[in-house]
């Protein structure tokens, strides 16, 4: 067990240092992707003709292997973390843009009309009404993007010592130490699970009006033959608290 956490000195980090580096290289691209996706998705909502080409471009970029991105970027950014994080940021757009667009488009027209009647302009309506109601869809996209980013960081080992926990896979081959490979795989999987759980908790915190069983037992019952019927008293319209909070 001691050899499991015995990290080779050439990695210049201990086990906790590699975890911190891995989270930094994985989560910063997700944050960057979210900041890019929010205004881009709003443009796609307002200009419906723009959505298909944006979706096509993000899908094509996602299909490009990360190694090809590294080859192009390495002349400009060198063998640095930035070379790893730029492709990861681009990859998140294929998930986040559709999630935000679908979430914003799901806001009922009656809600938008009520917000307009209350004097909300386009920007305020987007920030205080549409985005809060779209939170479940956005969080769902963030969960997929975050888990994917955590797994893809390891590819950074291809350009040198920039793969964080993925560097353990390289050293496992060099030093003939398979426990390092197990360390990389198990730790990366644990980080993905913990990050996903944290996002679920964030969704629950940001959407207190939603039933806690959303996506759980209620979804299963509905798929299994419609045994559960939504009760109006238990499933309030999410637009109501969103408008009340915005008005305050």
């Amino acid at each position: 067990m001691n050899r499991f956490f015995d990290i080779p000195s050439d990695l210049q980090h201990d086990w906790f240092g590699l975890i911190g580096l891995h989270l930094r290289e994985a989560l910063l691209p997700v944050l960057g992707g979210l900041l890019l996706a929010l205004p881009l998705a709003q443009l796609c909502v307002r200009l419906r003709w723009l959505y298909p080409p944006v979706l096509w471009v993000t899908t094509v970029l996602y299909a490009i292997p990360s190694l090809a991105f590294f080859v192009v970027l390495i002349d400009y950014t060198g063998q640095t973390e930035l070379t790893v994080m730029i492709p990861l940021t681009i990859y998140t757009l294929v998930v986040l843009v559709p999630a935000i667009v679908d979430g914003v488009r799901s806001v009922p027209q009656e809600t938008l009309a009520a917000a307009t009647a209350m004097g909300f302009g386009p920007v305020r309506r987007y920030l205080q009404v549409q985005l809060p109601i779209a939170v479940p869809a956005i969080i769902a996209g963030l969960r997929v993007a975050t888990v994917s980013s955590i797994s893809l960081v390891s590819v950074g080992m291809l350009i040198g010592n920039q793969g964080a926990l993925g560097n353990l896979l390289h050293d496992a081959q060099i030093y003939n130490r398979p426990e390092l490979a197990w360390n990389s795989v198990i730790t990366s999987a644990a980080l993905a699970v913990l990050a996903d759980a944290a996002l679920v908790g964030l969704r629950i915190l940001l959407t207190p009006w939603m039933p806690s069983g959303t996506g759980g037992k209620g979804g299963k019952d509905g798929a299994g033959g419609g045994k559960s019927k939504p009760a109006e008293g238990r499933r309030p319209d999410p637009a109501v608290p969103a408008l009340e909070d915005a008005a305050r």
Side-chain angles (χ1 to χ4, degrees):
M1 193 65 181
N2 289 335
R3 288 178 59 82
F4 188 85
F5 297 103
D6 183 15
I7 307 300
S9 59
D10 64 318
L11 298 184
Q12 302 174 357
H13 291 281
D14 59 10
W15 185 62
F16 290 104
L18 289 176
I19 290 176
L21 180 62
H22 199 97
L23 289 176
R24 183 173 70 197
E25 292 186 8
L27 299 184
L28 286 180
V30 175
L31 177 60
L34 180 62
L35 294 178
L36 289 174
L38 284 171
L40 186 58
Q42 177 62 4
L43 281 176
C44 292
V45 171
R46 295 181 66 85
L47 307 174
R48 289 183 175 269
W49 60 267
L50 186 62
Y51 185 45
V54 167
L55 193 60
W56 182 82
V57 170
T58 56
T59 303
V60 169
L61 290 175
Y62 185 79
I64 299 176
S66 54
L67 184 58
F69 266 123
F70 294 161
V71 172
V72 174
L73 292 174
I74 204 166
D75 289 336
Y76 303 96
T77 55
Q79 295 182 343
T80 64
E81 294 179 15
L82 195 59
T83 305
V84 177
M85 290 192 288
I86 290 176
L88 295 184
T89 301
I90 294 174
Y91 290 155
T92 62
L93 296 179
V94 74
V95 176
L96 295 178
V97 171
I100 298 173
V101 169
D102 291 344
V104 171
R105 284 181 176 176
S106 68
V107 179
Q109 289 300 319
E110 296 82 0
T111 303
L112 298 179
T116 303
M118 294 171 64
F120 286 24
V123 175
R124 187 181 177 193
R125 187 171 60 236
Y126 178 63
L127 295 177
Q128 294 186 297
V129 178
Q130 291 175 292
L131 281 184
I133 296 175
V135 162
I138 297 173
I139 294 295
L142 283 173
R143 291 174 65 185
V144 176
T146 300
V147 171
S148 175
S149 186
I150 289 175
S151 66
L152 287 174
V153 166
S154 298
V155 183
M157 71 176 181
L158 297 174
I159 61 168
N161 194 16
Q162 298 299 336
L165 290 168
N167 294 330
L168 293 174
L169 299 173
H170 180 258
D171 278 17
Q173 295 179 335
I174 293 178
Y175 300 114
N176 193 25
R177 292 181 54 189
E179 68 273 8
L180 294 178
W182 282 107
N183 188 326
S184 175
V185 171
I186 294 174
T187 306
S188 297
L191 291 178
V193 171
L194 291 174
D196 185 70
L199 287 171
V200 171
L202 179 63
R203 196 274 297 168
I204 295 173
L205 181 65
L206 294 178
T207 57
W209 62 82
M210 292 186 65
S212 59
T214 298
K217 293 182 180 180
K220 292 180 181 178
D221 291 341
K227 292 183 180 179
S228 64
K229 296 182 180 179
E232 302 223 355
R234 285 173 23 202
R235 291 180 179 249
D237 184 354
V240 175
L243 276 176
E244 289 177 351
D245 291 343
R248 286 197 292 267

